[in-house]
Amino acid sequence: MAPFMDGTAESVPSDKPKPSGIHVLIVGAGFAGITAAIECVRHGHTAQILESYKSTNVQLGDIISFGSNSSRIFKRWPGIPEKLDPICHRSEKLEYRYWNGEHIYTQYWGTEEENFGKRYNGHRGEIHKIIYDYAIELGIDVKLGQKVSEYFETDTEVGVVSNGERILANVVLGADGVRSKARTLVLGYNDDPKPSGYAIYRAWMDSTELAKNDLTKDLVINGDSHTGWLGPDIHFLAASIKNGKEFSWVFTHKDERNVNEGWAEPGNHEDACKLLEGWAPEVHAIVRMTPPERLVDWKLVYRDPLPTWVSPKGKIALIGDAAHPFLPTSIQGASQAMEDGSCIAVCLELAGKEHVGDALRAYEKIRYERVRLTQKTGETTRDAWHKADFTKLKENPDAIKLKREEWVLNHDAEAHAYKMYPEVVKELRR
């Protein structure tokens, strides 16, 4: 049996759980933090979020993907699937081309959605706003403009210092991203991010000009499309969305700059096109037609697997990118962040207020190996595309096909946590 294939059945009680009395303080209102807050409320806890941004009107980012493993979580939030569906990408295939434009292979998704469940690919900011608004509807307290300067825990209390104020809770979740301040307390030392050896240019834009250009119009005038150009140590992915009205593209390339230079900055068209020298003219046209303010140069950083996600006294846990940053080629970073929130809410429900340490350690035990294995798929997919034998791809398209692993996609984090928690806690107490 594939790993993590147990616990896919719906197993959540239909009745609303009794209030647990557990107050969960979450630092960061990204998808990890928002999901954790919503799921905690669903499972009887109260949740408060501290977010550094001063406004929720900032539509940051470009395309983000949620697999069917995370769509199970969306499905449990009334009205959310109906709001997500109209703004998300719809296509039945991914067309692979050589860097010069020649067709290699078309991968069709077939019955994947029927087998595993729906997936959602759309604009990060638009999807986030829908989820954020739902959290507000649930009455979750979200405080904006918060600068968290310190995490602390003692035998009797846990909390953070934000904007100079001490804020206490029963549990603190560090959902503050790849440069998490919580990580220092959890690990007991500074764990700086490392360069991955790669960076990406990426953009999201209106499709009007692309539709007028003979080189690019076929990518947008026939509804949504998904195309990938592959070459030695570079891949370029482009997708149209909202029936071809909007367009997103990203290309990954070698980059050895020091991570301390910053991981995101405005992109330069000339620099991007220089890396694509000799590539298909439609690829250059896409880059050239990207509005300057839409082009981002994003440094990919990574961390070695952390020895633990839980603080020494068991009151603080890392979730999402703070615990396990993913490469974009995994197509699972956001989904795994959501799984974290779903799992931890169940563990807290089953543990109760007097045993939150058990809950956080069980969350780590339940999630750790699954996350580690899923993280590796980002490297294997990237290497399959970048280091392929390009002379034989037409004869061997399986070498580049995007893997659709059942153990990744057909997973229910909530049901899995309910099933695994009793035996995991029993093992932890030995």
Side-chain angles (χ1 to χ4, degrees):
M1 178 183 289
F4 313 108
M5 284 306 296
D6 51 353
T8 57
E10 299 283 345
S11 64
V12 183
S14 58
D15 295 332
K16 185 177 179 180
K18 294 179 181 178
S20 67
I22 300 173
H23 179 58
V24 182
L25 180 63
I26 301 164
V27 180
F31 287 103
I34 289 285
T35 301
I38 293 170
E39 288 296 290
C40 280
V41 169
R42 284 187 65 243
H43 289 273
H45 323 309
T46 61
Q48 180 182 46
I49 300 176
L50 305 179
E51 169 56 45
S52 61
Y53 279 109
K54 296 179 180 180
S55 170
T56 61
N57 295 323
V58 183
Q59 292 285 303
L60 295 175
D62 43 73
I63 200 161
I64 189 170
S65 299
F66 295 88
S68 54
N69 50 316
S70 52
S71 77
R72 285 181 173 81
I73 300 172
F74 286 140
K75 189 177 179 181
R76 294 183 178 119
W77 301 348
I80 295 303
E82 292 79 7
K83 292 179 180 179
L84 291 177
D85 197 55
I87 67 168
C88 286
H89 173 84
R90 302 183 187 192
S91 67
E92 61 182 14
K93 62 186 179 181
L94 169 57
E95 181 182 335
Y96 297 93
R97 302 179 185 178
Y98 288 111
W99 64 91
N100 63 6
E102 181 184 353
H103 180 266
I104 304 171
Y105 176 76
T106 299
Q107 181 175 358
Y108 290 89
W109 306 128
T111 59
E112 178 184 314
E113 193 167 296
E114 290 78 9
N115 293 340
F116 301 149
K118 196 169 183 63
R119 60 183 182 274
Y120 297 99
N121 303 325
H123 189 281
R124 179 185 299 267
E126 293 178 356
I127 295 176
H128 184 269
K129 186 177 188 311
I130 289 172
I131 306 311
Y132 178 91
D133 289 348
Y134 179 63
I136 298 301
E137 289 174 17
L138 291 179
I140 293 169
D141 180 18
V142 182
K143 293 187 179 301
L144 303 176
Q146 296 292 309
K147 185 176 181 180
V148 173
S149 57
E150 180 186 347
Y151 287 76
F152 62 86
E153 66 173 353
T154 68
D155 290 336
T156 57
E157 62 181 18
V158 62
V160 303
V161 176
S162 183
N163 293 357
E165 177 188 1
R166 292 177 90 249
I167 302 175
L168 299 176
N170 301 113
V171 173
V172 175
L173 303 181
D176 45 352
V178 70
R179 292 177 179 247
S180 169
K181 285 187 172 66
R183 193 184 292 108
T184 301
L185 187 148
V186 168
L187 298 178
Y189 58 86
N190 289 323
D191 177 50
D192 293 328
K194 300 177 181 180
S196 67
Y198 289 86
I200 64 177
Y201 285 95
R202 60 193 309 162
W204 183 289
M205 60 193 193
D206 180 83
S207 297
T208 303
E209 295 305 313
L210 295 169
K212 298 176 183 177
N213 189 304
D214 287 341
L215 290 170
T216 57
K217 65 182 183 182
D218 287 341
L219 299 172
V220 299
I221 64 174
N222 298 311
D224 292 354
S225 68
H226 198 186
T227 311
W229 291 262
L230 307 182
D233 252 338
I234 292 179
H235 72 269
F236 191 112
L237 295 173
S240 58
I241 199 167
K242 298 178 183 176
N243 199 30
K245 292 182 175 63
E246 297 183 19
F247 194 79
S248 176
W249 64 266
V250 54
F251 87 82
T252 302
H253 60 92
K254 290 287 289 183
D255 187 298
E256 299 294 346
R257 288 175 298 168
N258 191 292
V259 70
N260 291 329
E261 294 179 15
W263 72 90
E265 58 193 12
N268 180 283
H269 292 79
E270 296 302 324
D271 291 344
C273 286
K274 189 178 297 183
L275 290 166
L276 295 167
E277 186 176 350
W279 279 55
E282 61 265 30
V283 170
H284 283 265
I286 291 168
V287 175
R288 295 288 184 189
M289 283 190 284
T290 301
E293 69 276 10
R294 295 283 185 170
L295 182 57
V296 176
D297 181 4
W298 186 31
K299 178 73 175 178
L300 294 180
V301 300
Y302 77 100
R303 296 180 185 276
D304 293 327
L306 302 181
T308 182
W309 302 340
V310 179
S311 61
K313 296 183 183 296
K315 296 182 173 70
I316 300 173
L318 305 174
I319 62 174
D321 281 352
H324 44 71
F326 275 67
L327 294 174
T329 39
S330 71
I331 325 177
Q332 273 289 310
S335 293
Q336 293 300 314
M338 291 185 68
E339 285 190 11
D340 286 350
S342 181
C343 177
I344 212 162
V346 170
C347 291
L348 287 169
E349 177 191 351
L350 297 179
K353 188 175 181 179
E354 302 305 315
H355 302 286
V356 296
D358 285 346
L360 298 193
R361 293 185 182 100
Y363 145 75
E364 178 186 68
K365 185 76 171 176
I366 291 169
R367 297 282 301 140
Y368 194 90
E369 185 65 9
R370 173 173 167 80
V371 168
R372 188 187 69 81
L373 292 174
T374 312
Q375 277 180 298
K376 294 295 290 182
T377 65
E379 296 177 33
T380 54
T381 297
R382 180 198 65 201
D383 291 346
W385 288 349
H386 286 213
K387 304 182 187 306
D389 183 345
F390 291 97
T391 65
K392 298 180 179 178
L393 285 185
K394 287 191 175 182
E395 293 77 22
N396 183 29
D398 283 348
I400 56 168
K401 284 172 63 175
L402 194 61
K403 300 291 188 295
R404 313 304 292 157
E405 302 279 8
E406 185 177 2
W407 68 268
V408 175
L409 298 174
N410 203 22
H411 181 77
D412 186 325
E414 184 175 62
H416 186 68
Y418 273 119
K419 178 174 182 177
M420 298 303 297
Y421 183 84
E423 66 179 77
V424 166
V425 167
K426 185 177 179 180
E427 181 182 336
L428 288 171
R429 288 176 177 174
R430 284 176 182 165

